[in-house]
Amino acid sequence: MKLADNKATLSFSNGSPSVDLPVYQGSVGPDVIDIRKLYAQTGMFTYDPGFLSTASCQSAITYIDGDKGELLYRGYPIEQLATNCDFMETCHLLLYGNLPDVAAKTAFVKRVSNHTMVNEQMQFFLRGFRRDAHPMAIMTGLVGALSAFYHDSTDINNPEHREISAIRLIAKMPTLVAMAYKYSVGQPYMYPKNELSYAGNFLHMMFATPCADYVVNPVIERALDRIFVLHADHEQNASTSTVRLCGSSGTNPFAAIAAGVACLWGPAHGGANEACLNMLEDIQKMGGISKVGHFMEQVKDKNSGVKLMGFGHRVYKNYDPRAKLMQETCKEVLAELGLENDPLFKLAMALEKIALEDEYFVSRKLYPNVDFYSGIVQRAIGIPVGLFTAVFALARTVGWIAQLNEMIGDPEYKIGRPRQLFTGSVSRDVLPISKR
Ligand code: CMC
């Protein structure tokens, strides 16, 4: 970390001595005030629920400029990565910091392909679930269960273990997501086919059956690959911070990633793509585009509890760059499948248009986020709504593991342990039950 020329001075109105705090500069983005010694110097904590002004770590992986609507993985703009690179190259970039050349990519793809199968025992875990279990419930269980199978890669303090568990997780997530799907529809699991691309293999495991050939559609394959690239990392969001906090105790990588999967499930985070599609379907049932005005009134009414899902973001106060790319992909996929007149896509466009012009959204800087169009793409591909967040988890796994490994390799890393402002009862005596 680079020390800035200036420092911050904290003064108190009650005459307590002021405190100088160091300021650090990143390569880009806001400076940070180092408050690590604040408690020792003043006996006070800082208070920042929701981390609105707190950098929880230093990181060199992903940078977001929320005002500009800019997203960089290791310095590369997401638009360039989504256009010029595939998901395997993106994984290499996030994990190792550089885009691979042809030889490095071939070697990386081979390594990942070698680990796509899961232990046969895993299918018995699935049998313990109800057929109608939510795929994220299944994924939380299955990813955590990986630590019961791969004992040779569970020591988070061993760089080789971290490396091999990263490859295993990236390789096995598509297999697990597809198994969760096949279980829910009662079809046989399909083994991975390693000659296919990462996205093509996922499509094969999802939609092939043992009784018919399945040919991967290159337009759909490319669209899915783009979904993976766009979701691969997003700096210190809730699930990534969960993975870091969980991993900071020294737990094994599979357990830490399972914690990330659980966090991602929530509708304010990864569950938003599912919630967004459900919202569009509900409006469609109510009468479609003619009901958009009525729906928007509900969204703007604070007492209704209705939100425009797929809109708004903690960091982006401009158009989410991923949403633009996703809208492009959405058009391509719908055209390829002859669904140009898809009513949900038209509805989404109508909602977006109204929201971008409405004072409520404009004044709050609420723009479409990645989830606004990703659900429509996934639905067109044939992925059931309940599986959307599991597909997000599949793609985000590389980001989680890259962030986890970065943290463990950081000499300044400590177990995460936030403090609190206590507002409960002060010390009091327990009365015998007859006197309470
Ligand atoms: N619809 C209606 N109003 C909204 C929305 C929305 N989608 N999002 C924010 N607002 C309002 C909010 O009520 C608040 O209004 P006011 O200032 O009058 O109280 C204002 O905008 C600021 O919102 P906030 O809740 O303080 O913002 P936040 O940073 O805490 O929340 C968010 C961010 C993503 C949780 C929120 O925008 C939201 O719930 N969006 C819908 C869910 C969604 O699409 N999530 C996906 C996020 S992107 C994928 C990912 O990273 O997982």
Side-chain angles (χ1 to χ4, degrees), residues 92-344:
H92 190 284
L93 174 69
L94 290 169
L95 284 177
Y96 308 118
N98 62 298
L99 281 170
D101 59 15
V102 174
K105 181 177 174 184
T106 308
F108 182 72
V109 170
K110 189 160 179 248
R111 272 196 89 193
V112 172
S113 306
N114 276 342
H115 289 278
T116 49
M117 282 204 302
V118 296
N119 190 296
E120 282 291 284
Q121 292 291 112
M122 288 300 280
Q123 56 180 284
F124 300 116
F125 276 97
L126 273 150
R127 282 196 205 161
F129 287 99
R130 287 168 56 129
R131 293 267 175 193
D132 63 354
H134 194 285
M136 288 300 275
I138 297 181
M139 288 307 293
T140 312
L142 292 188
V143 175
L146 289 176
S147 50
F149 290 96
Y150 302 103
H151 296 146
D152 58 344
S153 59
T154 52
D155 178 3
I156 208 161
N157 294 311
N158 182 327
E160 280 173 25
H161 282 212
R162 294 204 295 274
E163 161 71 10
I164 184 68
S165 57
I167 300 290
R168 279 183 170 144
L169 277 157
I170 293 165
K172 294 181 197 308
M173 283 298 275
T175 314
L176 295 179
V177 175
M179 283 173 82
Y181 169 63
K182 288 294 195 189
Y183 182 74
S184 73
V185 289
Q187 286 184 7
Y189 306 123
M190 296 301 292
Y191 286 109
K193 263 192 178 178
N194 289 348
E195 72 269 23
L196 295 174
S197 71
Y198 190 85
N201 187 36
F202 178 62
L203 287 168
H204 156 78
M205 289 188 288
M206 284 284 296
F207 301 121
T209 62
C211 41
D213 284 340
Y214 175 80
V215 180
V216 175
N217 176 327
V219 176
I220 306 298
E221 182 183 19
R222 177 73 198 134
L224 193 60
D225 191 83
R226 178 175 270 195
I227 291 180
F228 295 163
V229 170
L230 298 185
H231 287 83
D233 194 45
H234 214 229
E235 54 117 305
Q236 309 312 319
N237 56 81
S239 59
T240 301
S241 299
T242 300
V243 168
R244 281 185 178 256
L245 191 58
C246 184
S248 77
S249 71
T251 192
N252 72 75
F254 304 108
I257 302 302
V261 174
C263 178
L264 188 75
W265 191 357
H269 192 10
N273 51 19
E274 179 178 345
C276 181
L277 215 276
N278 288 335
M279 173 192 79
L280 292 173
E281 281 179 342
D282 287 347
I283 303 174
Q284 191 61 24
K285 277 186 216 139
M286 280 172 358
I289 291 185
S290 65
K291 294 289 174 200
V292 163
H294 170 68
F295 178 75
M296 283 304 209
E297 287 314 311
Q298 286 185 308
V299 168
K300 292 190 278 181
D301 174 6
K302 286 280 154 137
N303 300 319
S304 72
V306 178
K307 276 196 166 177
L308 180 55
M309 300 312 286
F311 254 73
H313 200 274
R314 171 61 60 80
V315 184
Y316 292 118
K317 300 303 167 199
N318 201 329
Y319 213 101
D320 177 343
R322 303 169 301 169
K324 277 193 194 133
L325 293 156
M326 195 53 78
Q327 193 198 53
E328 217 176 75
T329 299
C330 195
K331 282 184 186 155
E332 277 165 27
V333 168
L334 295 179
E336 171 68 15
L337 299 175
L339 299 170
E340 293 94 336
N341 293 321
D342 180 59
L344 289 198

